Amino acid sequence: MSKIRVMDEILANKIAAGEVVERCASVVKELVENSIDANGKEIKIELKEAGTSLIKVTDDGTGMDKEDAVVAFSRHATSKIMDESDLYNINTLGFRGEALASIASVSNVLLKTSTGEVGTLVNIKGGKLIKVENTDARKGTVIEVSELFYNTPARLKHMKSLYTELASITDYVNKIALSHPEIRFTLINNNNVILKTDGSGNLLKTISAIYGVDIARKMLEINGEDDDYSINGFISLPEINRAGRNHMVTLVNGRVVRNQELNKIINDSYHSYKPDNRYPIVVISIELDPSLVDVNIHPTKMDIKFSKLEELLELVKKTITSKLNRQTLIPEASITDFPIVEEVQEPILKENTIIENKPKYEEITLDFNVQEEPVIYEKKEEKEEERLPLLYPVGLVHGTYIVCQNEIGMYLIDQHAAKERINYEMFKEKLTNPTKENIPMLLPLTIELSNNEYIVLKENFAFLENMGFEISEFGINSVIIKAHPTWLTKDFEDLQIRKILELVSSKEKDFDLAKFNDHLAATLACKASIKANTNLSINEMEALISDLRKCHNPFNCPHGRPTIITFTKYDLEKLFKRSGFESLK
Ligand code: ZN
Ligand code: ZN
């Protein structure tokens, strides 16, 4: 019986107003997904000129018999959707009934397919059947799309540069490879291998094939579950981050989806571990009952809506933060031989990196088989451990960096960033749990404001009093402060009071208290921190390190800059070209 059914007309119409084959990447997507649906275990994508002159996809899937091979190009053929309800089920990859027909109408398509018995060759150009004949019987399908848009010059003109086309194809293939680590993918352009995965089913190996072994080594495995969701995957150490959001990949039941809230919570989970406007590399796979999602059914979109979104976000955040909170996150001073490539926003690879991006997993010395137990979250608080190693200060460089050592290596601490972190956590704690405890000011402080600042500030007197301020009106657009919270930094009181009033008077109506406190704490912390060119004594350094050790996150200032970096003994030996026998001297 024929595997491909002809969808009934209503269903066909329901499929959004036309699957549009717009670019090379959309052709690649259709062909690759067909190969996946045909159970291909090895899928090879070969391009010439970024697909503009040839896109060839070869798989070892089930293949088609002659009848199916011809029907496949008819308008509403599909093997994927059997009835209307399937449309809402995320377990089906999508529907591409119209796609092959659309592709064949604007290009020259050569299809060779076989179920293992007789092979069939079909050639269609500009939508016209040129020939159908028997051919050799290698099981699987090879499809070649050439002369794309030859008969639609407007579309052809619409195509972006070769680089952009290639970047978006690469981006797509990367993501489909991440969602199918069990399939062996090869992507080649003009005989250059861009991606090669091993199909072993090991996600970390796929990550390694895409990003290289150095990044893979800095990925942390995560696992978490609750009643409705189970999540697992890999997240990068905070020191590995990128300018664009494109490297946060979320899979839902094996399918790459886009969800802004998910991306936001992932990034928020790294807050203060890295700058907020840099994004981690993350591959998170979410498993759930399909009834909990609404997929936007337009076939070219990957948007998704979760019916228990808050719960999912909470689980994602907990899983990521609890992982980060248990790590020692001291970046090694980058003496490594690979450059940190600053990337442009969307296209994920630079032209030159594409050529160099050879598969790297053979050289890997990583243990890919570590399996983490899923963390099941209960209400109890996790006990925090001190994550900073013991450090012995040696001296100060440029009045800025504290040099420390221990048996593992040498460390540099940025004293401003470290003190900023200590202050920040202290201020945040005080702001989150206000006590109204205050100290009277020797000289009451009067502050003049602009009329609109004054209006907002007056509305917030209770807010400030709750913090510990004694504040009242003092003439036109002025306030007088007679007492301030106990936790202001000595000698910085005036400065900090002004900063607090400034932030409070620019408060929005429906502000988020936690975020406001966080911002306020970070601002005050910077103001109160040690300036560069302040010479600390060894005792002061020891005190600073011991305070830093007590922090929840001792590794970053509130803005996400590192407080500490290290040169391991090994790094030092490498830098001084000492090795083996030499290092014993
Ligand atoms: Zn600062
Ligand atoms: Zn900072």
Side-chain angles (χ1 to χ4, degrees), residues 416-417 420 526 557-561:
H416 173 87
E420 202 174 47
C526 182
C557 87
H559 310 97
R561 286 200 298 114

Side-chain angles (χ1 to χ4, degrees), residues 33 36 73 113 115 148 150 243 356 380 443 447 512:
E33 287 176 6
I36 293 172
F73 289 96
T113 185
T115 55
L148 188 60
Y150 79 99
E356 291 159 18
K380 72 167 176 18
L443 289 174
I447 294 177
D512 173 335

